[in-house]
PDB file of all heavy atoms in Angstrom:
ATOM      1  N   PHE F 195     141.115  91.599 -17.367  1.00 89.00           N
ATOM      2  CA  PHE F 195     141.309  93.023 -17.125  1.00 89.00           C
ATOM      3  C   PHE F 195     142.502  93.558 -17.925  1.00 89.00           C
ATOM      4  O   PHE F 195     142.446  94.652 -18.494  1.00 89.00           O
ATOM      5  CB  PHE F 195     141.506  93.252 -15.620  1.00 89.00           C
ATOM      6  CG  PHE F 195     141.274  94.668 -15.220  1.00 89.00           C
ATOM      7  CD1 PHE F 195     139.994  95.208 -15.233  1.00 89.00           C
ATOM      8  CD2 PHE F 195     142.331  95.476 -14.832  1.00 89.00           C
ATOM      9  CE1 PHE F 195     139.776  96.536 -14.871  1.00 89.00           C
ATOM     10  CE2 PHE F 195     142.130  96.801 -14.477  1.00 89.00           C
ATOM     11  CZ  PHE F 195     140.845  97.333 -14.489  1.00 89.00           C
ATOM     12  N   GLU F 196     143.560  92.763 -17.994  1.00 89.00           N
ATOM     13  CA  GLU F 196     144.745  93.183 -18.750  1.00 89.00           C
ATOM     14  C   GLU F 196     144.436  93.340 -20.241  1.00 89.00           C
ATOM     15  O   GLU F 196     145.003  94.204 -20.904  1.00 89.00           O
ATOM     16  CB  GLU F 196     145.883  92.181 -18.560  1.00 89.00           C
ATOM     17  CG  GLU F 196     146.613  92.357 -17.233  1.00 89.00           C
ATOM     18  CD  GLU F 196     147.672  91.287 -16.992  1.00 89.00           C
ATOM     19  OE1 GLU F 196     147.793  90.356 -17.818  1.00 89.00           O
ATOM     20  OE2 GLU F 196     148.362  91.379 -15.973  1.00 89.00           O
ATOM     21  N   CYS F 197     143.558  92.490 -20.752  1.00 90.00           N
ATOM     22  CA  CYS F 197     143.139  92.623 -22.159  1.00 90.00           C
ATOM     23  C   CYS F 197     142.443  93.954 -22.391  1.00 90.00           C
ATOM     24  O   CYS F 197     142.722  94.654 -23.355  1.00 90.00           O
ATOM     25  CB  CYS F 197     142.150  91.517 -22.523  1.00 90.00           C
ATOM     26  SG  CYS F 197     142.948  90.013 -23.007  1.00 90.00           S
ATOM     27  N   VAL F 198     141.521  94.273 -21.483  1.00 88.00           N
ATOM     28  CA  VAL F 198     140.775  95.524 -21.626  1.00 88.00           C
ATOM     29  C   VAL F 198     141.709  96.724 -21.577  1.00 88.00           C
ATOM     30  O   VAL F 198     141.566  97.671 -22.344  1.00 88.00           O
ATOM     31  CB  VAL F 198     139.716  95.661 -20.506  1.00 88.00           C
ATOM     32  CG1 VAL F 198     138.965  96.975 -20.621  1.00 88.00           C
ATOM     33  CG2 VAL F 198     138.753  94.495 -20.536  1.00 88.00           C
ATOM     34  N   MET F 199     142.688  96.664 -20.677  1.00 85.00           N
ATOM     35  CA  MET F 199     143.526  97.833 -20.437  1.00 85.00           C
ATOM     36  C   MET F 199     144.661  97.980 -21.457  1.00 85.00           C
ATOM     37  O   MET F 199     145.277  99.037 -21.527  1.00 85.00           O
ATOM     38  CB  MET F 199     144.139  97.769 -19.021  1.00 85.00           C
ATOM     39  CG  MET F 199     143.116  97.735 -17.898  1.00 85.00           C
ATOM     40  SD  MET F 199     141.951  99.132 -17.905  1.00 85.00           S
ATOM     41  CE  MET F 199     143.004 100.443 -17.253  1.00 85.00           C
ATOM     42  N   GLU F 200     144.973  96.943 -22.216  1.00 86.00           N
ATOM     43  CA  GLU F 200     146.102  96.995 -23.156  1.00 86.00           C
ATOM     44  C   GLU F 200     145.789  97.945 -24.315  1.00 86.00           C
ATOM     45  O   GLU F 200     144.776  97.799 -24.981  1.00 86.00           O
ATOM     46  CB  GLU F 200     146.407  95.582 -23.679  1.00 86.00           C
ATOM     47  CG  GLU F 200     147.598  95.494 -24.621  1.00 86.00           C
ATOM     48  CD  GLU F 200     148.901  95.979 -23.969  1.00 86.00           C
ATOM     49  OE1 GLU F 200     149.317  95.381 -22.987  1.00 86.00           O
ATOM     50  OE2 GLU F 200     149.457  96.982 -24.465  1.00 86.00           O
ATOM     51  N   SER F 201     146.692  98.885 -24.541  1.00 83.00           N
ATOM     52  CA  SER F 201     146.438  99.849 -25.618  1.00 83.00           C
ATOM     53  C   SER F 201     147.189  99.476 -26.911  1.00 83.00           C
ATOM     54  O   SER F 201     146.763  99.824 -28.002  1.00 83.00           O
ATOM     55  CB  SER F 201     146.833 101.260 -25.160  1.00 83.00           C
ATOM     56  OG  SER F 201     148.154 101.242 -24.667  1.00 83.00           O
ATOM     57  N   ASP F 202     148.283  98.767 -26.789  1.00 84.00           N
ATOM     58  CA  ASP F 202     149.068  98.370 -27.962  1.00 84.00           C
ATOM     59  C   ASP F 202     148.346  97.235 -28.716  1.00 84.00           C
ATOM     60  O   ASP F 202     148.017  96.189 -28.139  1.00 84.00           O
ATOM     61  CB  ASP F 202     150.454  97.902 -27.479  1.00 84.00           C
ATOM     62  CG  ASP F 202     151.335  97.432 -28.628  1.00 84.00           C
ATOM     63  OD1 ASP F 202     151.245  96.246 -29.000  1.00 84.00           O
ATOM     64  OD2 ASP F 202     152.091  98.272 -29.143  1.00 84.00           O
ATOM     65  N   ALA F 203     148.090  97.457 -30.013  1.00 89.00           N
ATOM     66  CA  ALA F 203     147.233  96.531 -30.770  1.00 89.00           C
ATOM     67  C   ALA F 203     147.813  95.117 -30.850  1.00 89.00           C
ATOM     68  O   ALA F 203     147.086  94.131 -30.643  1.00 89.00           O
ATOM     69  CB  ALA F 203     146.993  97.079 -32.181  1.00 89.00           C
ATOM     70  N   ALA F 204     149.115  95.007 -31.110  1.00 89.00           N
ATOM     71  CA  ALA F 204     149.731  93.680 -31.246  1.00 89.00           C
ATOM     72  C   ALA F 204     149.675  92.927 -29.913  1.00 89.00           C
ATOM     73  O   ALA F 204     149.337  91.736 -29.860  1.00 89.00           O
ATOM     74  CB  ALA F 204     151.171  93.822 -31.717  1.00 89.00           C
ATOM     75  N   LYS F 205     149.972  93.647 -28.838  1.00 88.00           N
ATOM     76  CA  LYS F 205     149.944  93.023 -27.510  1.00 88.00           C
ATOM     77  C   LYS F 205     148.526  92.642 -27.109  1.00 88.00           C
ATOM     78  O   LYS F 205     148.294  91.641 -26.437  1.00 88.00           O
ATOM     79  CB  LYS F 205     150.547  93.967 -26.470  1.00 88.00           C
ATOM     80  CG  LYS F 205     152.055  93.966 -26.515  1.00 88.00           C
ATOM     81  CD  LYS F 205     152.644  94.654 -25.309  1.00 88.00           C
ATOM     82  CE  LYS F 205     154.150  94.738 -25.452  1.00 88.00           C
ATOM     83  NZ  LYS F 205     154.706  95.851 -24.692  1.00 88.00           N
ATOM     84  N   LYS F 206     147.575  93.491 -27.521  1.00 91.00           N
ATOM     85  CA  LYS F 206     146.173  93.205 -27.204  1.00 91.00           C
ATOM     86  C   LYS F 206     145.744  91.900 -27.876  1.00 91.00           C
ATOM     87  O   LYS F 206     145.080  91.071 -27.268  1.00 91.00           O
ATOM     88  CB  LYS F 206     145.280  94.368 -27.648  1.00 91.00           C
ATOM     89  CG  LYS F 206     143.953  94.450 -26.909  1.00 91.00           C
ATOM     90  CD  LYS F 206     143.120  95.623 -27.411  1.00 91.00           C
ATOM     91  CE  LYS F 206     141.855  95.795 -26.631  1.00 91.00           C
ATOM     92  NZ  LYS F 206     141.997  96.636 -25.422  1.00 91.00           N
ATOM     93  N   ASP F 207     146.158  91.723 -29.125  1.00 92.00           N
ATOM     94  CA  ASP F 207     145.860  90.476 -29.843  1.00 92.00           C
ATOM     95  C   ASP F 207     146.412  89.264 -29.098  1.00 92.00           C
ATOM     96  O   ASP F 207     145.733  88.249 -28.935  1.00 92.00           O
ATOM     97  CB  ASP F 207     146.507  90.497 -31.244  1.00 92.00           C
ATOM     98  CG  ASP F 207     145.630  91.251 -32.243  1.00 92.00           C
ATOM     99  OD1 ASP F 207     144.525  91.672 -31.839  1.00 92.00           O
ATOM    100  OD2 ASP F 207     146.065  91.429 -33.395  1.00 92.00           O
ATOM    101  N   GLU F 208     147.669  89.413 -28.680  1.00 92.00           N
ATOM    102  CA  GLU F 208     148.342  88.331 -27.968  1.00 92.00           C
ATOM    103  C   GLU F 208     147.610  88.006 -26.663  1.00 92.00           C
ATOM    104  O   GLU F 208     147.370  86.838 -26.337  1.00 92.00           O
ATOM    105  CB  GLU F 208     149.755  88.825 -27.665  1.00 92.00           C
ATOM    106  CG  GLU F 208     150.806  87.760 -27.439  1.00 92.00           C
ATOM    107  CD  GLU F 208     152.128  88.451 -27.102  1.00 92.00           C
ATOM    108  OE1 GLU F 208     152.713  89.122 -27.994  1.00 92.00           O
ATOM    109  OE2 GLU F 208     152.541  88.353 -25.942  1.00 92.00           O
ATOM    110  N   LYS F 209     147.242  89.061 -25.936  1.00 92.00           N
ATOM    111  CA  LYS F 209     146.543  88.869 -24.658  1.00 92.00           C
ATOM    112  C   LYS F 209     145.148  88.285 -24.872  1.00 92.00           C
ATOM    113  O   LYS F 209     144.683  87.463 -24.086  1.00 92.00           O
ATOM    114  CB  LYS F 209     146.478  90.191 -23.883  1.00 92.00           C
ATOM    115  CG  LYS F 209     147.812  90.537 -23.257  1.00 92.00           C
ATOM    116  CD  LYS F 209     147.789  91.777 -22.406  1.00 92.00           C
ATOM    117  CE  LYS F 209     149.187  91.989 -21.796  1.00 92.00           C
ATOM    118  NZ  LYS F 209     149.372  93.315 -21.239  1.00 92.00           N
ATOM    119  N   ASN F 210     144.505  88.743 -25.935  1.00 91.00           N
ATOM    120  CA  ASN F 210     143.180  88.186 -26.253  1.00 91.00           C
ATOM    121  C   ASN F 210     143.269  86.701 -26.572  1.00 91.00           C
ATOM    122  O   ASN F 210     142.393  85.933 -26.187  1.00 91.00           O
ATOM    123  CB  ASN F 210     142.556  88.926 -27.441  1.00 91.00           C
ATOM    124  CG  ASN F 210     141.720  90.112 -26.992  1.00 91.00           C
ATOM    125  OD1 ASN F 210     141.038  90.038 -25.979  1.00 91.00           O
ATOM    126  ND2 ASN F 210     141.786  91.201 -27.742  1.00 91.00           N
ATOM    127  N   LYS F 211     144.334  86.336 -27.265  1.00 92.00           N
ATOM    128  CA  LYS F 211     144.540  84.926 -27.608  1.00 92.00           C
ATOM    129  C   LYS F 211     144.690  84.098 -26.330  1.00 92.00           C
ATOM    130  O   LYS F 211     144.075  83.037 -26.171  1.00 92.00           O
ATOM    131  CB  LYS F 211     145.790  84.809 -28.499  1.00 92.00           C
ATOM    132  CG  LYS F 211     145.877  83.480 -29.232  1.00 92.00           C
ATOM    133  CD  LYS F 211     147.077  83.438 -30.189  1.00 92.00           C
ATOM    134  CE  LYS F 211     147.502  81.994 -30.361  1.00 92.00           C
ATOM    135  NZ  LYS F 211     148.833  81.710 -29.817  1.00 92.00           N
ATOM    136  N   LYS F 212     145.506  84.601 -25.428  1.00 90.00           N
ATOM    137  CA  LYS F 212     145.726  83.897 -24.162  1.00 90.00           C
ATOM    138  C   LYS F 212     144.417  83.803 -23.370  1.00 90.00           C
ATOM    139  O   LYS F 212     144.086  82.772 -22.784  1.00 90.00           O
ATOM    140  CB  LYS F 212     146.790  84.645 -23.349  1.00 90.00           C
ATOM    141  CG  LYS F 212     147.329  83.785 -22.211  1.00 90.00           C
ATOM    142  CD  LYS F 212     148.527  84.370 -21.509  1.00 90.00           C
ATOM    143  CE  LYS F 212     148.811  83.503 -20.271  1.00 90.00           C
ATOM    144  NZ  LYS F 212     149.592  84.198 -19.256  1.00 90.00           N
ATOM    145  N   LEU F 213     143.659  84.906 -23.391  1.00 91.00           N
ATOM    146  CA  LEU F 213     142.383  84.920 -22.664  1.00 91.00           C
ATOM    147  C   LEU F 213     141.416  83.897 -23.243  1.00 91.00           C
ATOM    148  O   LEU F 213     140.745  83.167 -22.504  1.00 91.00           O
ATOM    149  CB  LEU F 213     141.777  86.334 -22.725  1.00 91.00           C
ATOM    150  CG  LEU F 213     140.481  86.551 -21.957  1.00 91.00           C
ATOM    151  CD1 LEU F 213     140.697  86.373 -20.462  1.00 91.00           C
ATOM    152  CD2 LEU F 213     139.906  87.945 -22.223  1.00 91.00           C
ATOM    153  N   LYS F 214     141.364  83.844 -24.575  1.00 90.00           N
ATOM    154  CA  LYS F 214     140.451  82.910 -25.251  1.00 90.00           C
ATOM    155  C   LYS F 214     140.780  81.453 -24.935  1.00 90.00           C
ATOM    156  O   LYS F 214     139.896  80.599 -24.901  1.00 90.00           O
ATOM    157  CB  LYS F 214     140.510  83.130 -26.770  1.00 90.00           C
ATOM    158  CG  LYS F 214     139.419  84.075 -27.225  1.00 90.00           C
ATOM    159  CD  LYS F 214     139.224  84.028 -28.729  1.00 90.00           C
ATOM    160  CE  LYS F 214     138.308  85.168 -29.151  1.00 90.00           C
ATOM    161  NZ  LYS F 214     138.719  85.756 -30.430  1.00 90.00           N
ATOM    162  N   GLU F 215     142.072  81.181 -24.748  1.00 89.00           N
ATOM    163  CA  GLU F 215     142.465  79.819 -24.333  1.00 89.00           C
ATOM    164  C   GLU F 215     142.129  79.571 -22.867  1.00 89.00           C
ATOM    165  O   GLU F 215     141.747  78.460 -22.487  1.00 89.00           O
ATOM    166  CB  GLU F 215     143.991  79.647 -24.463  1.00 89.00           C
ATOM    167  CG  GLU F 215     144.525  79.344 -25.844  1.00 89.00           C
ATOM    168  CD  GLU F 215     146.050  79.472 -25.860  1.00 89.00           C
ATOM    169  OE1 GLU F 215     146.694  79.341 -24.796  1.00 89.00           O
ATOM    170  OE2 GLU F 215     146.565  79.740 -26.956  1.00 89.00           O
TER     171      GLU F 215
END
Side-chain angles (χ1 to χ4, degrees):
Chain F
F195 199 70
E196 281 175 356
C197 275
V198 178
M199 300 304 284
E200 182 59 62
S201 52
D202 179 274
K205 282 192 185 154
K206 203 180 184 87
D207 277 356
E208 203 182 292
K209 284 184 178 165
N210 270 322
K211 196 176 153 246
K212 195 171 171 201
L213 183 64
K214 266 195 190 142
E215 279 169 24

